[in-house]
Each structure stands twice: as C-alpha cells, then as structure tokens.
Amino acid sequence: YRLEVYYPEDSAPLFTLQRPSHNPHLMQLEQEIHYRDQHIGRINISLAPEDNRAAIQRYLLYAATLALTLAALMSLALRYSVHRELKQPLETLGAWAEQIARGHYDKSAEDIKENELQKLALQFSYMAHMIQEREEELQKLSSATEQSPACIMITGANERIDYANSAFEKVMGYGRAEIIGYPIRALYTESDKEVWNRARQQGRWQGEINATRKNGKQMVQWLIVKAQYHNDGRLKYFICAFTDITQAKLQQQRLEYLAHYDPLTNLPNRELLKARFDQATTSPQAQSGRLVVAFVDLDNFKQINDECGHDTGDKVLVEMADRLLSNIREGETAARLGGDEFILLLSNIKNEEHCELVLKAVQLTLAQPCTIEGRSFSIRST
C-alpha cells in the first residue's frame, strides 16, 4: 500500500507512508479533506487487492486514523499560518491608530495587503484624513481667536468659563489658569446678570454691560452672547465676545457734556441756556412769577488777562463762575456765553425792586477781592 497527504495547491506530497508491494495492480483511493468548511488538503491511498477483507479494513482504519491526525495537524498549521499573516497587519493598524491619536496622519493604507484588512486600513486612512482636516480647521479657528482684538469666552451650560483668549486675559487682568472654571456672572454687576437668562431663553443677546476687572476697576463692554443647544433642546454652551468700550463711552459722555457746558467753568453754554430758557417760559411754574435774564460782564478782566497771562485769567473766570452759582437758587441758571460774559436766568422774581436787590447782591459778591496765586484782584461787573 501507499498513503500520501497533500496541501490543496501542492503537487508534491507533504507526507508519504508506504509498504513495498510486488502487485502491479493497485486500488487508487483519493479523499479531499475539509475542516470547518475550509479545504485544507487531500489524501491519496493505493492498496493491493487481497482476499483478506480484514486486512483491507485494517489498512483503511489505519489510514483514516492517520488522516484525522494529519487533518488536526494541518488545522493547527493553518491557524498558525493565519495568525502569523494577521498578526503583522493588525500590529500595523494598532501602531497606526496610536500615531493618529498623537496627531500623525501620514501613514499609508498601502502598507496593509490583505483584502479585508485593506478595507479596514482604507477606513483608517479616511478617518485620519477627516481628523486631520478638522484639526487644521480647529487650529485656524484657535489662531484666529488668539489673534483677535475681541475678547472671547466659552462657557459650559453651567455658565462657568471653559476657554478665554489672550485678549480677555489682557483686558480683564485674569490669567488663563485662574479664569478657567470661574462663574461668568461673577464678572458682571448684579443688575446685568439677567443677561444670561435672556440669552439662555432667546438664544442670543447683545448690548452694553458693566463688568469688573480683576483689580476691581469698572469697565463697559459691548457684549454678544450666543447660545448653542443639543438636538433635544438642552443648552450646550455659550459663546461670548466683547470689546472694551469704556474709553469710547467716556469720550461720548465728554462730547455730550461739552455740547451743553463750558469746559473751563463747567457752567451751561449757549445751547443749554436756550433749552432752559424755553423750558422756563413754557412751564406752568413760569406763570407764578417773572423771569429775569441778566447779562453780566467783567469790566477789568482784559487788563488782568494781559498783565498776568491767560492761565491767571482762566482761574479768575472759574472763581467768578463759582460766585455766580452761589447767588442763584435751585431751578435758576448761570451760563457763560464766552470770554468774560455771563448770563443769569432768574425765576420767581416778584417785581422790579426784588430784581434790583438780587442783581445788587450778585455784584457785591463778584466785587469781593479774588486771590489767585498770592495776588489779589478786584473785579468790577456790570
């Protein structure tokens, strides 16, 4: 007899067992071997015909036992082969995933050759590409926010700060480490804290708001708050951006002040005087008494200005303005027209005698000696 074991694609036997026989007529048996639905090889058996059936059965039993043994061995060999073939690609994918986690996205899927693993590798490649694109976009956004002159904050749904850019640190005075986790409402005055409730309900809010820097100084912000939500309507986070408009507000207030007041004496100017005159002549209180408009001129002011200089002259004007204010009542007006000319708007004057008494008192007050930088000046007025 002769027994041969073959791998599926091999022409030479993997294993041969034979006993010499002089009989040229041999029976040929061939059996394909399958293990778990996978073809793993075949067995060829050659037997010399014998009359002894028991001998044939013995040979067949022997061959079957040997075949099963070889099948088990081939299965182990196949498992080892598959393990060896899969181990390297899987290790490559594992290393690749680790590199992706570290931010390296340049691994090529061509390093993986097996079909199924190649599909998985291509998915890894696509994932790495998408992560890289998103990371680059985030880097652009991060760079933009860091370079932005606007102060930017991001808070969680709990209204505690998760992120603040460099402009925020510079304007507010807080370091990034100490502001993270800080409740955002603590930066604002009590009357402005309702802003966050309105932004939560309406999704957006913008306007002027008063805030406090780390050093305790107050500031005015132009603040924009945008709320972001989950699909189920729950709040995700707030994005907040503001600019410091404190100086702009002060400048605006100063311009508004200068539009109605004299910058040297702080008395009302022509515009405010006109508005108050119109109000005094149209109000119901104007019916209860006479309204007097008195023109006041400092006679010798030009001499003081020429001899002592404009700085001294300005101080004299300020002193005269203060004296005029001390001689008028609530609701009356002392205004400066320009130079050394002033206007008094007096109300509730009963008659001419009353008017003369009031104006005489004004003249006496202005005539009192005025001491400026150690020098005494006497001012005459008409």
Side-chain angles (χ1 to χ4, degrees), residues 276-310:
R276 290 187 178 179
F277 178 82
D278 292 341
Q279 183 181 12
T281 55
T282 57
S283 65
Q285 290 79 3
Q287 307 302 322
S288 61
R290 295 184 180 182
L291 179 67
V292 173
V293 178
F295 179 83
V296 179
D297 180 57
L298 306 180
D299 293 338
N300 57 333
F301 175 74
K302 185 177 184 303
Q303 180 182 354
I304 296 173
N305 223 16
D306 293 340
E307 293 178 357
C308 303
H310 290 286

Side-chain angles (χ1 to χ4, degrees), residues 320-338:
M320 294 300 104
D322 291 341
R323 293 184 183 187
L324 288 173
L325 286 174
S326 68
N327 277 271
I328 63 175
R329 296 169 295 180
E330 183 178 358
E332 297 180 329
T333 298
R336 183 188 179 202
L337 296 182

Side-chain angles (χ1 to χ4, degrees), residues 11 20 51 56 78 103 111 124 210 258 275 280 306 350 353-354:
S11 58
D51 293 334
I56 294 176
L78 181 62
D111 296 337
F124 261 80
N210 297 308
L258 293 177
D306 293 340
K350 299 177 181 178
E353 291 77 10
H354 183 204

